């Protein structure tokens, strides 16, 4: 029986002759776990098997290209345009069904946005010609001919027919986010004057024809259409347009509407939101589409907790909830919600580590908090012959806490040392700036997991060599972060100079008047930019000084988050950005007099209340050198090894624990 708080979420839903066991859908997310020919791989099957076993009602398998020569959006995108792809899809459907979930396949063509390296002749096809931004005399995409359009409609139908042979129980057309069907539908990208464009009826024609052909191919199986409810562009489609258009799509043969948002070329922050987006912000859009049609609606995006999902269904915003990134963080989100074990759900913080790990020709799906995502075929963590041996983790940040839990799970007798009087480390600093409070979810989750584990936690205790050697450990994991870079600036040790990182950690005790002189922040990286926003929110005027050009501010930050951060900073009246400038010296007691030098070498002086240094951090190698001298095996992770993101530290810990297993594993001979 479902937990009483989530009765709507775990109620079945009838779609024609198909019944979904609950209202939780796994959203289609590209994994790049297929091979270069578009075949389903064992690694990909294991990825989906974990999510199916986690209790979702339906899995919409990632976008499947209907015509590889012209439509691939990624290097290892799934395909089903030939019978040669069938066997892998059959195995995938089988494991999804065995776990009790419905298998749905999403059909897609990338249109004019496909990478040039992946398309025949280096020129994509789409509704209209697209010229190169770099060279207006060259085309990056060419308008499709009538014959090409008719051929592509048939490709959608043929892939659907092969999907039926593979055993898929439902299908979805990807008409969102700026792919081919969206391109024809939107006046932003469709500039044709023939039967496939011109007016709304013309722009609708391709989607209607594809719906009809696919419905012919799949028979009574349900057909969904994923759409963008708003393109967030004056020249594109808005929610009022989609309220008018969606019923026409439904009339062509749809059984379900999947309401997404945005397009890649008008703002990825609406397609894949940063953590600043509030939970459930898309639900009003889904509600309006739901009111316009007579078929069930799926809502997707920024739904992180079962209570939000339950309320959305109970309030009539939507009929089903699609979870994407939350199922990367925790494949068992649904089963934990079913049991009422909400606090055991590993939370998705929308950090978009998954976007970064997925990028490029060699990228694959991943998750900052769950290093097993995309690696489901890895063997279980096991200490082997070292079971019960002592393992020590130094540092209680995200990497340290996660690694201590993994060592404990593997069977080590694990101790965690943290010099501060609280756990959290870099998570505290990362969660302090505005719009980043979701990171506290992960901190509190790790703290709860530690409290329930066998890890012995030592707070307010700085680990030294004597502590670590009593008794001698099998392994030491150094996860204590880094220390501020040393700068050769006269006056930098003055009483009005502070470390920006320590400010975000809550370790700096000063309260200058917000109405007084400004605070100068030296450093235009992510920490400097976030410190500026942190202080501005508290009423301080800030001068953000960067040695690099303004175009390079926060350049190491995740791209989608960086875009919205810089937009906010540039429009913040309390923040003044001074680029191409460096500090020459700092002096003064009652106020800080900072001598600066511009890019052209011209000197000038700024009087400020405080100076915050945000010039980066570096590993502190003292303990590593002592361990090396004592012959104790150790691994440094996160900022103790090299500056990086939270996910880098967690994944570094996972790699270290996996490497330990390789030293104790027993290798068996093959029978052959």
């Amino acid at each position: 029986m479902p937990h009483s708080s989530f009765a709507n979420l775990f109620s079945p839903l009838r779609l024609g002759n198909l019944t979904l066991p609950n209202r939780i859908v796994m959203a289609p997310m590209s994994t790049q776990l297929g091979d270069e020919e578009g075949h389903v791989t064992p690694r990909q099957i294991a990825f989906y098997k974990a999510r199916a076993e986690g209790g979702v009602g339906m899995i919409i398998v990632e976008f499947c290209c209907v015509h590889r020569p012209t439509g691939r959006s990624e290097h290892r995108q799934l395909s089903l345009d030939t019978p040669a792809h069938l066997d892998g899809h059959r195995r995938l459907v089988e494991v999804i069904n065995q776990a009790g979930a419905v298998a749905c396949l999403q059909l897609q063509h990338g249109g004019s946005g496909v990478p040039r390296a992946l398309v025949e002749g280096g020129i994509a096809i789409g509704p209209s010609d697209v010229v190169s931004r770099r060279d207006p005399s060259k085309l990056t995409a060419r308008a499709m001919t009538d014959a090409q359009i008719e051929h592509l409609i048939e490709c959608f139908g043929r892939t659907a027919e092969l999907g039926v042979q593979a055993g898929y129980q439902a299908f979805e057309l990807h008409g969102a986010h700026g792919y081919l069907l969206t391109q024809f539908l939107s006046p932003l990208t469709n500039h044709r004057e023939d039967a496939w464009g011109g007016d709304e009826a013309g722009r609708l024609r391709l989607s209607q024809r594809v719906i009809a052909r696919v419905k012919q191919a799949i028979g009574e199986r349900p057909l969904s259409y994923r759409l963008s409810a708003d393109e967030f562009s004056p020249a594109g489609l808005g929610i009022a347009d989609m309220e008018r258009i969606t019923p026409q799509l439904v009339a062509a043969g749809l059984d379900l509407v999947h309401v997404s948002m945005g397009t890649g070329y008008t703002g990825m922050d609406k397609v894949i939101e940063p953590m600043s987006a509030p939970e459930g912000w898309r639900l009003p859009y889904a509600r309006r589409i739901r009111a316009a049609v007579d078929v069930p609606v799926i809502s997707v995006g920024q739904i992180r907790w079962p209570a939000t999902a339950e309320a959305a269904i109970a309030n009539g915003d939507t009929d089903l909830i699609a979870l994407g990134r939350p199922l990367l963080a925790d494949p068992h989100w649904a089963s934990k919600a079913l049991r009422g074990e909400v606090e055991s759900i590993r939370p998705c913080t929308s950090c978009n580590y998954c976007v970064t790990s997925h990028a490029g020709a060699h990228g694959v799906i991943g998750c900052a908090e769950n290093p097993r995502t995309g690696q489901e075929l890895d063997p279980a963590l096991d200490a082997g012959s070292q079971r019960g041996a002592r393992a020590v983790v130094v540092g209680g940040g995200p990497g340290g806490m996660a690694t201590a839990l993994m060592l404990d799970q593997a069977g080590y007798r694990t101790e965690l040392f943290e010099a501060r009087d609280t756990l959290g480390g870099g998570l505290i600093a990362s969660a302090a700036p505005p719009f980043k409070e979701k990171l506290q979810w992960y901190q509190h989750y790790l703290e709860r997991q530690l409290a329930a584990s066998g890890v012995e936690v030592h707070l307010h205790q700085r680990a030294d060599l004597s502590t670590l050697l009593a008794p001698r450990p099998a392994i030491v994991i150094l996860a204590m972060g880094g220390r501020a870079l040393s700068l050769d600036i006269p006056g930098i040790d003055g009483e009005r100079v502070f470390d920006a990182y320590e400010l975000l950690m809550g370790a700096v005790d000063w309260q200058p008047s917000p109405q007084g002189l400004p605070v100068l922040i030296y450093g235009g990286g992510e920490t400097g930019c976030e410190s500026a926003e942190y202080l501005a929110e508290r009423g301080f005027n800030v001068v953000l000084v960067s040695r690099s050009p303004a175009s390079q501010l926060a350049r190491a930050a995740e791209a989608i988050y960086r875009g919205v951060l810089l937009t906010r900073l540039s429009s913040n009246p309390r923040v003044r950005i001074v680029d191409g400038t460096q500090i020459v010296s700092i002096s003064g007691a009652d106020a800080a007099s900072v001598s600066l030098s511009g890019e052209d070498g011209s000197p000038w002086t700024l009087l400020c209340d405080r100076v915050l240094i945000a010039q980066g951090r570096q590993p502190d190698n003292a303990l590593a050198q002592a361990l090396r001298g004592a012959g104790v095996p150790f691994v440094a992770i996160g900022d103790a090894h090299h500056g990086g993101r939270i996910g880098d530290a967690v994944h570094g810990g996972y790699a270290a624990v996996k490497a330990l297993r390789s030293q104790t594993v027993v290798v068996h001979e093959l029978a052959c």
Side-chain angles (χ1 to χ4, degrees):
M1 292 293 292
H3 190 271
S4 59
S5 298
F6 310 124
N8 287 287
L9 189 58
F10 288 98
S11 62
L13 179 70
R14 187 79 175 173
L15 290 174
N17 60 1
L18 182 67
T19 299
L20 306 186
N22 59 55
R23 306 299 183 96
I24 303 171
V25 176
M26 180 179 175
M29 294 173 288
S30 164
T31 64
Q32 290 233 70
L33 293 174
D35 68 16
E36 292 185 354
E37 299 303 318
H39 297 98
V40 175
T41 64
R43 189 177 172 188
Q44 204 160 31
I45 291 173
F47 169 83
Y48 282 106
K49 183 175 186 286
R51 275 80 197 165
E53 291 176 343
V56 298
M58 180 167 72
I59 287 180
I60 305 178
V61 173
E62 64 194 88
F63 63 178
C64 182
C65 181
V66 300
H67 189 239
R68 283 179 59 80
T70 62
R72 274 195 302 159
S73 294
E74 293 175 347
H75 287 75
R76 294 185 302 284
Q77 182 178 356
L78 280 190
S79 297
L80 188 51
D81 57 351
T82 71
H85 294 102
L86 267 173
D87 285 347
H89 281 275
R90 284 178 175 137
R91 291 192 294 271
L92 177 55
V93 170
E94 184 178 1
V95 299
I96 292 173
N97 290 166
Q98 284 176 346
V102 168
C104 174
L105 181 65
Q106 188 184 73
L107 311 180
Q108 180 262 7
H109 187 285
S112 59
V114 301
R116 295 176 63 184
L118 300 182
V119 66
E120 287 181 342
I123 299 179
I125 58 173
S128 305
D129 288 349
V130 179
V131 299
S132 170
R133 292 181 180 179
R134 295 182 179 179
D135 185 354
S137 67
K138 293 183 178 179
L139 290 179
T140 59
R142 182 175 286 114
M144 297 170 68
T145 64
D146 283 355
Q148 287 175 315
I149 293 172
E150 293 292 347
H151 172 69
L152 207 55
I153 293 169
E154 185 59 26
C155 287
F156 273 95
R158 179 58 179 153
T159 297
E161 289 168 350
L162 290 170
V164 170
Q165 293 181 40
Y168 285 101
Q169 299 146 284
F171 291 81
E172 179 170 277
L173 297 172
H174 201 333
H177 304 164
Y179 296 122
L180 183 75
L181 295 181
T182 323
Q183 291 162 16
F184 269 84
L185 191 62
S186 174
L188 186 66
T189 44
N190 186 341
H191 306 135
R192 304 175 75 103
E193 294 296 335
D194 61 3
W196 306 100
D199 57 12
E200 187 168 281
R203 296 196 308 272
L204 267 164
R205 185 162 284 111
L206 177 62
S207 288
Q208 291 170 325
R209 287 282 306 280
V210 169
I211 290 169
R213 177 63 181 91
V214 170
K215 196 64 180 172
Q216 177 191 29
I218 67 176
E220 295 302 313
R221 295 167 183 82
L223 177 61
S224 172
Y225 189 102
R226 196 179 208 196
L227 55 82
S228 290
D230 199 320
E231 292 187 318
F232 297 98
S233 169
L237 297 170
I239 180 62
D241 299 307
M242 295 311 297
E243 286 176 301
R244 184 180 63 254
I245 289 170
T246 307
Q248 299 177 67
L249 295 173
V250 171
L254 298 180
D255 304 283
L256 193 61
V257 175
H258 190 168
V259 182
S260 189
M261 205 69 68
T263 63
Y265 38 79
T266 59
M268 282 299 294
D269 62 305
K270 298 298 190 295
V271 178
I272 308 173
E273 306 99 318
M275 65 179 68
S276 56
E279 185 167 11
W281 76 273
R282 295 184 179 193
L283 289 172
Y285 292 86
R287 187 182 187 92
R288 289 178 63 171
I289 296 297
R290 185 172 186 260
V293 299
D294 57 0
V295 296
V297 162
I298 306 173
S299 183
V300 65
Q302 285 300 305
I303 296 172
R304 297 294 177 256
W305 297 106
T308 307
E310 172 69 18
I313 297 172
N315 295 337
D317 294 321
T318 187
D319 300 284
L320 297 119
I321 297 292
L323 300 176
R325 288 173 287 177
L327 294 181
L328 301 182
D330 196 333
H332 294 273
W333 191 101
S335 60
K336 290 177 180 179
L338 179 66
R339 298 191 299 269
E341 299 171 0
V342 174
E343 289 197 337
S344 69
I345 292 175
R346 185 188 294 109
C348 171
T349 62
S350 303
C351 73
N352 284 345
Y353 181 92
C354 51
V355 178
T356 305
S357 70
H358 180 272
H362 304 290
V364 296
I365 198 73
C367 174
E369 300 173 13
N370 183 3
R372 219 43 176 296
T373 294
Q375 311 290 337
E376 284 78 12
L377 289 179
D378 283 357
L381 299 175
D382 190 349
S385 60
Q386 291 186 335
R387 179 168 291 275
R390 184 183 185 226
V392 176
V393 179
V394 182
M401 288 191 284
T403 305
L405 287 165
M406 288 185 278
L407 287 166
D408 178 62
Q409 181 183 20
Y412 288 91
R413 182 169 55 85
T414 307
E415 296 178 59
L416 172 62
F417 289 86
E418 169 53 49
R420 299 178 190 263
D421 59 4
T422 184
L423 294 169
L427 273 172
I428 297 173
S430 295
F435 308 109
K436 296 189 71 179
E437 63 277 357
K438 288 186 179 74
L439 288 173
Q440 294 176 358
W441 296 347
Y442 186 41
Q443 178 184 343
H444 299 328
Y445 165 80
L446 289 174
E447 290 172 341
R448 289 193 298 270
Q449 293 297 105
L450 280 171
S453 75
V455 177
E456 185 177 352
V457 178
H458 306 277
L459 292 177
H460 212 221
Q461 187 170 347
R462 187 174 298 277
D464 56 22
L465 190 60
S466 61
T467 305
L468 299 183
L469 293 180
R472 190 180 184 88
I475 185 67
V476 174
I477 305 294
L478 300 179
M480 61 282 195
R483 56 180 174 83
L485 286 170
S486 178
L487 300 178
D488 186 18
I489 297 175
I492 198 169
D493 296 325
E495 61 182 19
R496 290 187 170 270
V497 182
F498 298 90
D499 183 352
Y501 177 82
E502 293 299 323
L503 170 77
L504 298 178
M505 285 293 295
V508 173
D509 184 19
W510 54 272
Q511 293 295 326
S513 170
Q515 285 73 43
L517 293 169
V519 175
L520 186 150
I521 298 175
Y522 188 43
E526 190 170 358
T527 299
C529 291
E530 290 184 341
S531 296
E533 195 170 32
Y534 173 89
L535 289 174
E537 185 185 54
R538 286 157 176 77
F540 294 95
N541 291 316
V542 178
V543 179
L544 178 61
V545 176
S546 172
R547 292 181 293 180
S548 302
S551 61
Q552 297 296 305
L553 288 174
R555 60 180 175 269
E558 185 273 318
I560 298 173
Y561 169 71
R562 177 177 183 259
V564 296
L565 170 64
L566 296 188
T567 297
R568 292 197 306 264
L569 274 182
S570 64
S571 61
N572 194 319
R574 294 193 178 277
V575 178
R576 173 188 171 195
I577 298 171
V578 179
D579 64 345
T581 299
Q582 58 184 346
I583 292 179
V584 177
S585 65
I586 306 168
S587 60
D590 296 333
S593 178
V594 183
S595 297
L596 301 124
S597 175
E599 199 168 23
D600 60 358
S602 57
W604 58 288
T605 301
L606 179 70
L607 200 63
C608 57
D609 196 294
R610 298 288 194 277
V611 177
L612 293 181
I613 304 298
Q615 288 292 330
R617 303 177 72 77
Q618 64 184 6
D620 186 343
N621 296 319
L623 187 53
Q625 292 173 357
L627 290 169
R628 189 177 291 111
V632 177
F634 71 91
V635 178
I637 66 171
D639 288 353
H641 169 64
H642 185 273
R645 301 175 64 191
I646 291 167
D648 298 326
V650 174
H651 281 247
Y654 180 63
V657 180
K658 276 204 308 182
L660 287 173
R661 188 183 186 280
S662 69
Q663 300 171 19
T664 61
V665 69
V666 176
V667 180
H668 298 281
E669 290 291 329
L670 290 174
C672 59

